[in-house]
Amino acid sequence: MIEGLLNIIYGLIASAVFVGIGFLYGRYKERKKNQGSPLENYPFYPFSLDAKKMLQFDFDKFNMAVSFLIKSKDYKAGKQLVLIGEQNNVRQILNASSLDNYEKLYKLYNGNKVLDDSLQFLENYKRIVRLIGDSFPDCGIEILLHNLSNPSKALYHIKNNVTGRNVEAPATNLVMDLKRRNSNKEDKLNYELNIGARKFKCTTIPIYKDDMGIVGAICINVDYHYLNEEVRNNPELIDKFLDALCKTDMVLDENILSKSEYELALQGKRHFRDF
């Protein structure tokens, strides 16, 4: 009786050990699968600087990278190359032979999952864009989210539309510009755009994903002429602008001031420049 019970216990322990080993081995394989070197560590990183030190997509290096990563698996570099390929619309540009190789690479590194993961990663940013946009309604301030895994249909979400674009509008030059600025350690902050009679103050904030590089961007576009020519010179529009800017949906009992500012507020200080 006791011997049979001990055999059962030993069997359960052995099963648990084998399950544990299997689990750890699976985790090890998964980690190994995701290990690798960043694509920029390879000599065929598919971007190069031209004579003006502008970062340009290099199709020859891209094709070299595709060939190498088909033969020698590197999941980190391979997934990055898939994303770069989609970002630069290589399907529309590569010749038949090169495109066939790229399709092999895309399948080898599960390209659909790479793009789906990037899209899922951007979902929280979509919520951020929506909520910030709702905080500045009808103010001439547009905020939008680009999904840069597909530049030909990049515009993923938009609030307070002032540029007239729709979801899935292209942004094919944005990826290259952000990559160039990143390589030069430049921010794309507070820049001016003049398009015909239109003028905008803009900010572009790149979104990076671990091991994938740039996958998206949040852009803020201020309709300069509307604010400077219409709102500034019309008291009624100024009131409407300020009402929209100060509009709230609820009242909360919450302190966001420092201890010293809190004490001054209790004493009657009304704003940050009230000395």
Side-chain angles (χ1 to χ4, degrees), residues 16-33:
V17 169
F18 282 121
V19 169
I21 291 173
F23 173 77
L24 293 174
Y25 181 66
R27 291 288 299 274
Y28 165 77
K29 286 186 67 178
E30 186 65 25
R31 284 198 302 270
K32 187 174 180 180
K33 180 180 178 180

Side-chain angles (χ1 to χ4, degrees), residues 69-167:
L69 291 171
I70 288 174
K71 297 175 183 176
S72 304
K73 289 185 180 179
D74 184 322
Y75 283 91
K76 182 178 290 186
K79 289 188 292 185
Q80 286 180 317
L81 190 64
V82 166
L83 187 59
I84 288 172
E86 296 303 307
Q87 286 176 335
N88 289 277
N89 298 314
V90 295
R91 296 176 187 277
Q92 281 72 48
I93 302 170
L94 294 175
N95 60 38
S97 175
S98 297
L99 181 58
D100 184 56
N101 266 351
Y102 176 67
E103 292 289 2
K104 291 178 183 176
L105 177 97
Y106 189 90
K107 184 177 180 181
L108 179 64
Y109 293 100
N110 198 353
N112 287 337
K113 187 174 187 305
V114 170
L115 300 183
D116 287 345
D117 286 348
S118 296
L119 200 61
Q120 185 177 359
F121 179 74
L122 290 175
E123 277 299 306
N124 190 50
Y125 290 92
K126 181 178 178 180
R127 181 172 179 267
I128 291 172
V129 165
R130 176 176 63 80
L131 293 176
I132 294 177
D134 287 342
S135 297
F136 302 99
D138 198 28
C139 291
I141 303 172
E142 171 186 278
I143 180 166
L144 56 87
L145 174 64
H146 282 303
N147 169 21
L148 296 179
S149 64
N150 186 1
S152 63
K153 297 182 178 180
L155 209 165
Y156 189 53
H157 193 64
I158 186 167
K159 292 291 294 187
N160 307 334
N161 196 324
V162 299
T163 55
R165 289 174 293 176
N166 298 313
V167 170

